[in-house]
Amino acid sequence: MGCVCGRQSVVIQGQKFYLMRQIGEGSFSYVFEARNTADSHQYAVKKMSCHTDEEEKRARDEIENYQRFSHSNLVSLLYHEQVKYSPSAHVTSIFWLVFHYFKNGSLQNVFDRQTKFTTRVLLELFLSICEGVRQIHEKQMAHRDLKPSNVMLLNNSQGVILDFGSMTPATISITNRSDAQKWQDWAEENCCVQYRAPELFHIETNAVITSKTDIFSLGGILYACCFGKGPFDDVYSRGDSVALAIASGRIELPVQSSTYPSIIIDTMLSMLHTEPEQRPTVDEVIDVLSSAARLTMDIA
């Protein structure tokens, strides 16, 4: 049973974990670095406190999303358990989820340290992220919140995508104004503003939202891999409208853009196109950048 044993430990599916320190926080969740008493290895333990039936459904959907996949570039759910509480309690349920702990941190941590990638490492790392996205899209799903802090590093050239709480079916049909407002509000709550596709800022009636939202976010991640920050981070920091900046379609390239081959910059710009149908698929991105990677390796 997933009961809390003392203030700093929890038992999940018969495994006892000591919660060492908090390393993340979401809208109704906390993530802890933890140690398993059986093997002394480090893990990441996510605690989701649900106050409503809707929050319980979101937690169950997230667990189901993890269980859809088994791939080296997508995070694996190792253990999970739900603890139900009485109607008089301030929460209806607590869900505990256990994942591998990534000691190398996230892609955002790399940018914060102002680490620069060689072309070869950049391509290997970004292609590994794309392989994870390809798995998601092949299952007819979309992540919807791809951003550097949701990519953990196995090493300096392999990324692992996590946080499937915003994952939805790849295609969402908007049939009326109520649907449009509902999904617009959902995007506001669940999709990082600096990496959010333009079609998620103002959703029209009769619109169709596709997995191309992930391609736009991937384009932002590729930009950040090249230049150490996202294409709209400065806009956000100034307090200006990110929505307007994204909708404008203008992508400012730093002077150091000449550091990387033009094929990388051109691919990135195609992924950041304001029109979803003009963006490449993840398969097309992988094909183009894999060719660039082979050429880079031959040169090296």
Side-chain angles (χ1 to χ4, degrees):
M1 176 174 178
C3 60
V4 177
C5 306
R7 292 183 60 193
Q8 298 297 322
S9 65
V10 60
V11 176
I12 305 167
Q13 285 191 257
Q15 301 288 316
K16 187 175 183 179
F17 298 89
Y18 282 107
L19 308 182
M20 299 163 64
R21 65 185 180 99
Q22 183 181 324
I23 56 176
E25 183 175 348
S27 56
F28 65 106
S29 64
Y30 296 92
V31 182
F32 302 91
E33 178 187 345
R35 181 170 57 84
N36 188 328
T37 59
D39 60 18
S40 296
H41 291 168
Q42 289 172 291
Y43 294 87
V45 173
K46 185 172 185 176
K47 176 184 179 183
M48 306 172 73
S49 299
C50 302
H51 303 81
T52 65
D53 291 344
E54 181 181 354
E55 288 181 348
E56 279 197 23
K57 182 182 184 305
R58 284 180 59 183
R60 285 192 294 269
D61 287 347
E62 181 171 343
I63 290 169
E64 183 178 334
N65 287 334
Y66 292 120
Q67 293 172 331
R68 294 175 190 272
F69 305 101
S70 177
H71 189 268
S72 59
N73 298 119
L74 297 174
V75 71
S76 297
L77 178 63
L78 304 175
Y79 306 100
H80 66 92
E81 193 152 347
Q82 177 186 7
V83 183
K84 295 283 284 184
Y85 288 87
S86 69
S88 60
H90 72 287
V91 295
T92 58
S93 292
I94 290 179
F95 289 80
W96 294 95
L97 286 66
V98 181
F99 307 93
H100 289 296
Y101 176 77
F102 296 94
K103 64 180 181 180
N104 294 318
S106 72
L107 196 54
Q108 186 60 56
N109 297 143
V110 171
F111 301 149
D112 292 342
R113 294 193 296 267
Q114 299 184 327
T115 303
K116 303 296 183 185
F117 295 118
T118 64
T119 298
R120 182 172 180 172
V121 170
L122 183 150
L123 286 169
E124 287 183 8
L125 174 59
F126 187 70
L127 282 167
S128 75
I129 300 167
C130 288
E131 288 291 352
V133 173
R134 173 149 66 182
Q135 293 295 313
I136 294 171
H137 289 187
E138 285 181 351
K139 295 280 190 178
Q140 300 301 309
M141 302 295 288
H143 187 282
R144 306 291 187 206
D145 194 28
L146 293 170
K147 56 186 178 182
S149 59
N150 277 344
V151 178
M152 307 306 288
L153 298 180
L154 278 176
N155 49 54
N156 68 346
S157 62
Q158 287 292 314
V160 179
I161 299 169
L162 51 77
D163 196 352
F164 295 177
S166 299
M167 190 177 287
T168 71
T171 302
I172 300 169
S173 298
I174 309 300
T175 58
N176 53 57
R177 186 60 238 164
S178 176
D179 269 356
Q181 190 61 55
K182 179 190 78 171
W183 281 105
Q184 194 167 305
D185 292 343
W186 179 90
E188 183 72 26
E189 180 181 351
N190 291 278
C191 309
C192 177
V193 65
Q194 299 102 299
Y195 292 86
R196 191 185 312 166
E199 60 267 28
L200 292 176
F201 282 96
H202 182 68
I203 300 177
E204 301 282 354
T205 302
N206 298 322
V208 178
I209 307 299
T210 71
S211 59
K212 291 294 186 73
T213 59
D214 284 351
I215 302 301
F216 186 90
S217 301
L218 273 176
I221 291 174
L222 180 54
Y223 183 107
C225 286
C226 291
F227 308 126
K229 59 183 176 182
F232 307 103
D233 283 359
D234 286 344
V235 177
Y236 181 79
S237 296
R238 292 194 303 266
D240 294 339
S241 172
V242 176
L244 287 177
I246 289 176
S248 74
R250 292 193 297 272
I251 306 297
E252 295 183 8
L253 297 177
V255 174
Q256 66 265 38
S257 61
S258 59
T259 302
Y260 296 103
S262 60
I263 187 63
I264 294 178
I265 304 302
D266 291 343
T267 301
M268 174 202 44
L269 292 174
S270 72
M271 297 169 78
L272 290 169
H273 202 289
T274 56
E275 297 298 329
E277 61 272 15
Q278 296 299 317
R279 297 173 208 145
T281 64
V282 70
D283 286 335
E284 290 168 338
V285 171
I286 290 172
D287 287 346
V288 170
L289 294 185
S290 292
S291 297
R294 286 192 292 272
L295 179 60
T296 301
M297 291 175 188
D298 288 343
I299 293 172

